[in-house]
Amino acid sequence: MISQNSETRSHKAQMVLDRFEKKLNRQMVGSLVSCVHCGLCTDSCHYVLANPGDPTYAPAYKADKIRKLFKRHFDWTGKVFPKWVKAGTVMTDEELEELKDTVFGKCTNCRRCTLNCPMGVDFATFNRMARGLLVSVGVMPEGVATVSKDQWEIGNQMGVLPEDYLDTLEWMSEEVSEELGDPAAVIPVDKMDADIVYTINPREVKYDPRSIADALKVFHAAKANWTMPSEGWDMTNFGLFSGDDDLGGAVARRVYEKTIELRGKCLVMSECGHGYRSTRCEGPNWAKFDIPFEMESSVDTMLRYIKEGRIKVDKSKNPDLVTFHDSCNNARSCGLTEEPRELLQLVCENFQEMVPNRAENFCCTGGGGAMSMTEYTPRRLKSAVIKADQMKATGAKIVVTTCHNCVDGLNDLIRHYKLDMKVTQLVNLVANALVWE
Ligand code: SF4
Ligand code: SF4
């Protein structure tokens, strides 16, 4: 419990400091103490590159706004020599609002600066922690509050109602079975003992059901024993963005428990960077859950189907020049860099790498939940010039990505910078390249 100045500190500020102490772990403290302010990470941030001359976007500057609290209250150097080590505290609700502007509005938690820090400082990790502290006292952008509420109460982050989800699966089943002239080409719902339990991003139900239909075509062509769950189908997790580990754990648990209830052998996640990271990597820790089944991205599944000869593809069906955008969560945080490229080159005739790429790729600028924080849209779109230039330089008219969030971020910047490009995903290209026998 932090007691200094508690007689004049606001209730919310006091709660933030009290909670801060509980969130400190070895990884967090390591990043909070080891910055030597060398500045090597500065130019790795797209906000810095798009706003030359504004030091408030530098990763180390942003990190110091959180670090000063750690130094003042939890580190002996700051307790003894607060001025020397630039330790500081937070007293008022206005100061919490200022911190909100930094941690939500000036960083997409993309972790590019993390990769470029020789001291191993993972700013994005404690920036997320700081978001969680603010969320715990209700200080957050309105969009973050709305999406979190939907995921807590309705079970998915876009507020899709159960009947709308099931109607969409039925609708896609009708479309595909009619198109293929095969009444067996339908989505099995809640099938027990399936090899694959396929989970998706609610954006697919709401804005892009075509990707559900394309997944159905791929599974049907592979003669897969698969199913989609009637509940626990949203593998995205706003807890990753809001920093709320309780939400993160509750959402991940729903997906895991449904997979167990169906006795599924492998939980497959459709193309979504933060969903994959949350469900596969972070979720077991947040939910404190031992996972008794396999988990993989649909990118791995589709690649395996081609390699095993379970589906045949003809890349000449996708003749246009395409480029590839690495999702930050997939590439930087989960190492999923080569599989999408291998798959892409099996289903497309012409591929041009974006530079830089893989773990060094720039954020789509819609990451970290930024698409839901409309108050920062002008700032986000200004910083998107870095991504826009990177995309334009490829000469491609199609940009492929393995993340639904990136689809929205890239579409937004394409509109804003009037680029002659379209965004698509691997499942769309694989389905289009299928050779039916
Ligand atoms: S975070 Fe790392 S790279 Fe950036 S200023 Fe600190 S020590 Fe240098
Ligand atoms: S995590 Fe990404 S957006 Fe945030 S400071 Fe680092 S490079 Fe910039």
Side-chain angles (χ1 to χ4, degrees):
M1 176 77 74
I2 311 297
S3 58
Q4 281 162 319
N5 295 320
S6 57
E7 67 282 356
T8 49
R9 183 175 287 124
S10 77
H11 180 61
K12 284 183 181 175
Q14 183 68 36
M15 283 176 67
V16 161
L17 291 175
D18 289 343
R19 197 173 170 91
F20 198 148
E21 189 169 18
K22 297 193 184 96
K23 291 289 170 189
L24 291 174
N25 55 31
R26 186 192 292 231
Q27 181 198 17
M28 204 81 74
V29 172
S31 285
L32 285 162
V33 298
S34 52
C35 178
V36 293
H37 294 91
C38 63
L40 285 175
C41 58
T42 307
D43 287 345
S44 60
C45 180
H46 54 279
Y47 284 102
V48 173
L49 298 176
N51 295 278
D54 185 344
T56 68
Y57 285 103
Y61 180 92
K62 293 181 275 197
D64 279 350
K65 290 191 167 266
I66 304 162
R67 188 173 281 121
K68 72 174 188 181
L69 305 178
F70 169 77
K71 286 188 171 167
R72 181 70 186 87
H73 297 287
F74 310 110
D75 185 59
W76 71 268
T77 55
K79 286 181 182 170
V80 181
F81 310 112
K83 287 210 173 104
W84 284 12
V85 296
K86 298 198 174 98
T89 190
V90 61
M91 300 297 292
T92 65
D93 290 357
E94 289 70 37
E95 286 168 347
L96 294 181
E97 288 291 331
E98 280 170 29
L99 189 59
K100 177 188 91 173
D101 186 76
T102 298
V103 302
F104 285 102
K106 291 189 171 181
C107 173
T108 56
N109 282 357
C110 77
R111 299 187 76 230
R112 196 167 190 269
C113 56
T114 299
L115 251 74
N116 287 281
C117 172
M119 305 301 290
V121 173
D122 191 349
F123 167 52
T125 296
F126 65 85
N127 192 62
R128 175 181 177 272
M129 184 269 294
R131 287 183 176 196
L133 298 179
L134 295 177
V135 164
S136 73
V137 293
V139 177
M140 65 190 116
E142 204 183 322
V144 172
T146 306
V147 179
S148 300
K149 188 168 178 286
D150 280 348
Q151 207 161 23
W152 271 120
E153 293 177 4
I154 302 179
N156 65 83
Q157 61 163 286
M158 288 198 177
V160 175
L161 298 173
E163 54 271 31
D164 292 338
Y165 165 71
L166 293 170
D167 279 355
T168 305
L169 299 194
E170 208 180 309
W171 171 36
M172 287 304 107
S173 292
E174 283 166 13
E175 295 259 316
V176 174
S177 56
E178 197 173 306
E179 183 188 330
L180 301 181
D182 182 353
V186 294
I187 299 170
V189 178
D190 282 349
K191 183 177 168 190
M192 296 297 293
D193 299 304
D195 293 335
I196 284 171
V197 176
Y198 186 60
T199 52
I200 57 171
N201 183 316
R203 179 186 175 277
E204 297 178 64
V205 183
K206 213 157 179 176
Y207 303 114
D208 189 16
R210 170 188 72 131
S211 59
I212 302 173
D214 284 346
L216 161 56
K217 287 180 190 170
V218 174
F219 287 126
H220 185 66
K223 300 184 176 56
N225 175 18
W226 73 297
T227 190
M228 289 183 75
S230 58
E231 294 167 349
W233 52 267
D234 176 9
M235 54 73 191
T236 68
N237 198 323
F238 213 72
L240 183 71
F241 297 153
S242 69
D244 183 347
D245 292 347
D246 295 336
L247 175 62
V251 170
R253 185 171 281 271
R254 271 180 214 146
V255 178
Y256 302 152
E257 285 179 343
K258 188 66 187 176
T259 307
I260 290 172
E261 184 194 313
L262 295 173
R263 295 196 300 262
K265 294 186 185 63
C266 181
L267 172 62
V268 172
M269 289 141 270
S270 70
E271 293 167 72
C272 173
H274 96 270
Y276 179 70
R277 179 177 166 197
S278 300
T279 309
R280 172 119 199 260
C281 310
E282 315 280 359
N285 292 328
W286 293 332
K288 300 185 177 42
F289 208 97
D290 285 330
I291 307 292
F293 44 79
E294 301 285 316
M295 290 195 276
E296 69 180 15
S297 160
S298 59
V299 174
D300 292 309
T301 317
M302 292 187 286
L303 183 57
R304 197 175 56 248
Y305 285 167
I306 296 178
K307 284 181 169 175
E308 290 174 352
R310 288 181 64 174
I311 57 174
K312 291 204 166 47
V313 285
D314 174 5
K315 61 160 81 174
S316 71
K317 292 184 177 184
N318 292 315
D320 296 332
L321 179 65
V322 302
T323 188
F324 183 69
H325 161 77
D326 288 274
S327 130
C328 300
N329 281 310
N330 274 343
R332 258 192 287 284
S333 292
C334 300
L336 198 67
T337 54
E338 304 315 307
E339 297 84 347
R341 285 176 168 76
E342 203 181 341
L343 181 55
L344 188 57
Q345 295 191 63
L346 286 167
V347 296
C348 290
E349 269 190 328
N350 293 300
F351 170 56
Q352 174 67 49
E353 275 287 8
M354 223 178 262
V355 179
N357 53 56
R358 296 176 168 82
E360 285 290 344
N361 196 27
F362 282 105
C363 177
C364 69
T365 62
M371 298 304 290
S372 68
M373 308 173 202
T374 47
E375 59 269 62
Y376 305 128
T377 301
R379 208 185 273 176
R380 171 171 61 79
L381 286 171
K382 187 177 179 201
S383 76
V385 68
I386 306 301
K387 188 81 232 173
D389 288 347
Q390 200 193 2
M391 285 160 57
K392 210 160 40 176
T394 64
K397 296 276 183 279
I398 297 173
V399 55
V400 184
T401 185
T402 54
C403 175
H404 277 281
N405 204 66
C406 296
V407 171
D408 283 340
L410 296 175
N411 271 326
D412 219 19
L413 76 86
I414 284 171
R415 269 192 301 272
H416 185 75
Y417 289 99
K418 299 185 175 44
L419 304 185
D420 182 18
M421 291 183 101
K422 278 194 309 196
V423 191
T424 194
Q425 294 196 276
L426 280 167
V427 71
N428 310 127
L429 295 169
V430 174
N432 193 49
L434 282 172
V435 177
W436 295 94
E437 291 177 343

